[in-house]
Amino acid sequence: MKKILISEWVPQECLAPYEGKYEFTCPTREKRAFSYDEVYEMIEAYDAYLILDNDGDKKMIDRAKNLRAIANFGVGYNNIDWKYATQVGLPVVNTPTTVTEATAEHAVALIISTMRGIARYDREIRKGIWNSPNFTDIDCEVYGRTLGIMGFGRIGKMVCKKAQGLGMQVVYYDKFRASEEIEKEYNVTYMEFDEVVKNSDCITLHMPYIPENHHIINAETFRAMKDSAYLVNAARGAVVDEKALAEALRNKTIKGAGLDVYEDEPNVSPELLALDNVTLTPHIASCTLKARMGMCREALAGITGVLEGGKPYNVVNPEVLK
Ligand code: DGY
């Protein structure tokens, strides 16, 4: 029987359809997760590895001599050395469809809560401060504002629909411009990167982390943004220069930010923690039970599809499959 290793506890319900066909190893609910070193010790004996919050780097791939599929529990898979995996013919699986709704919803929640100061008011009221400011522009309604979406994939498109439901105008940038039909369908305007930066009242990031996107949002970007604008990041931390962001927020170069992801998770720069014009959540955009169950099923379907000789849609390097 083929053996699948999972780095964190997952509900039995997700594994049940494979009973008798595959042998699974995952930590108990109490233990919650295997460390990188624990996985490293075990990996040689497995046919597939599903990664939740761990690394699939070159060292791990080299050790995993019998591995025929490696999967990440997420649409992003920058924690796997996928280039090396491709080089050695190892299929990499992700969960591109099941995170969309929850992640887009969280991005929109960050847009609203950041522009309306929800987290700041929550912090104040818990300290006994009843701050109900009249005639100030401390917060900003989202209705009628321009949202700039950077990255117009599944999540970016879903954010677009939701933001339009709130009365926002939407512009977008993507390295691969959408077709005319898609732009019409979404009633969305394409702009070059710099134009989105200059024209948006709020920029929301939905691009993958690849080396060319490293710090694509940086001090220069913040200087080019309106000083009344906000930044939301529910993509990957290192797309933004976190130090430059903290400085831009402190100096009021931009008005506020909402972040779900950070450059050095689970560490958040102390500079950000000290600021009041930033809303922070701990990389939980896709953390609803529905999304997580879906992600687990999508990843396992991809893995078993590969093990059974198929070509599942969620293999990100299909060129390695015959
Ligand atoms: C994703 O889908 O990449 C998320 O970041 C996983 O939590």
Side-chain angles (χ1 to χ4, degrees), residues 46-61:
Y46 288 86
D47 298 283
Y49 175 31
L50 170 54
I51 303 182
L52 285 86
D53 216 8
N54 212 314
D55 284 328
D57 55 11
K58 180 175 183 298
K59 179 178 157 196
M60 187 66 82
I61 293 171

Side-chain angles (χ1 to χ4, degrees), residues 121-298:
Y121 289 118
D122 181 83
R123 284 190 294 272
E124 286 177 355
I125 209 163
R126 286 167 199 274
K127 284 187 206 145
I129 301 168
W130 190 267
N131 178 20
S132 169
N134 282 334
F135 303 106
T136 81
D137 68 350
I138 184 164
D139 302 315
C140 169
E141 63 201 14
V142 301
Y143 183 88
R145 307 288 163 176
T146 298
L147 179 69
I149 299 180
M150 296 288 198
F152 206 58
R154 286 187 180 84
I155 298 171
K157 287 191 180 85
M158 186 65 80
V159 168
C160 173
K161 280 193 178 168
K162 292 179 190 298
Q164 285 165 339
L166 295 168
M168 299 188 91
Q169 318 289 332
V170 182
V171 299
Y172 84 98
Y173 166 77
D174 194 292
K175 195 171 134 190
F176 304 104
R177 183 173 175 174
S179 65
E180 222 173 283
E181 296 77 69
I182 296 281
E183 288 181 2
K184 237 195 212 138
E185 183 191 332
Y186 283 83
N187 189 22
V188 69
T189 306
Y190 172 83
M191 286 182 181
E192 290 299 330
F193 181 91
D194 291 346
E195 293 302 304
V196 171
V197 168
K198 268 198 289 191
N199 287 292
S200 300
D201 297 305
C202 180
I203 294 173
T204 183
L205 307 176
H206 300 290
M207 68 263 272
Y209 180 75
I210 46 174
E212 69 188 272
N213 287 344
H214 184 79
H215 288 187
I216 194 166
I217 306 291
N218 51 44
E220 198 186 321
T221 323
F222 299 127
R223 278 194 296 272
M225 284 169 71
K226 298 180 187 178
D227 58 8
S228 55
Y230 298 81
L231 176 78
V232 163
N233 188 9
R236 282 292 180 269
V239 164
V240 176
D241 181 341
E242 201 170 292
K243 270 209 167 344
L245 172 62
E247 206 166 304
L249 289 168
R250 196 177 36 250
N251 300 337
K252 309 273 189 298
T253 310
I254 65 168
K255 195 160 173 193
L259 305 175
D260 186 50
V261 289
Y262 308 87
E263 278 204 74
D264 180 30
E265 294 175 10
N267 304 306
V268 179
S269 1
E271 291 92 335
L272 281 179
L273 294 174
L275 292 166
D276 224 15
N277 52 348
V278 58
T279 309
L280 307 170
T281 56
H283 200 150
I284 45 77
S286 62
C287 210
T288 64
L289 182 59
K290 179 169 175 261
R292 295 278 147 158
M293 294 295 280
M295 290 160 74
C296 198
R297 291 186 175 119
E298 189 173 29

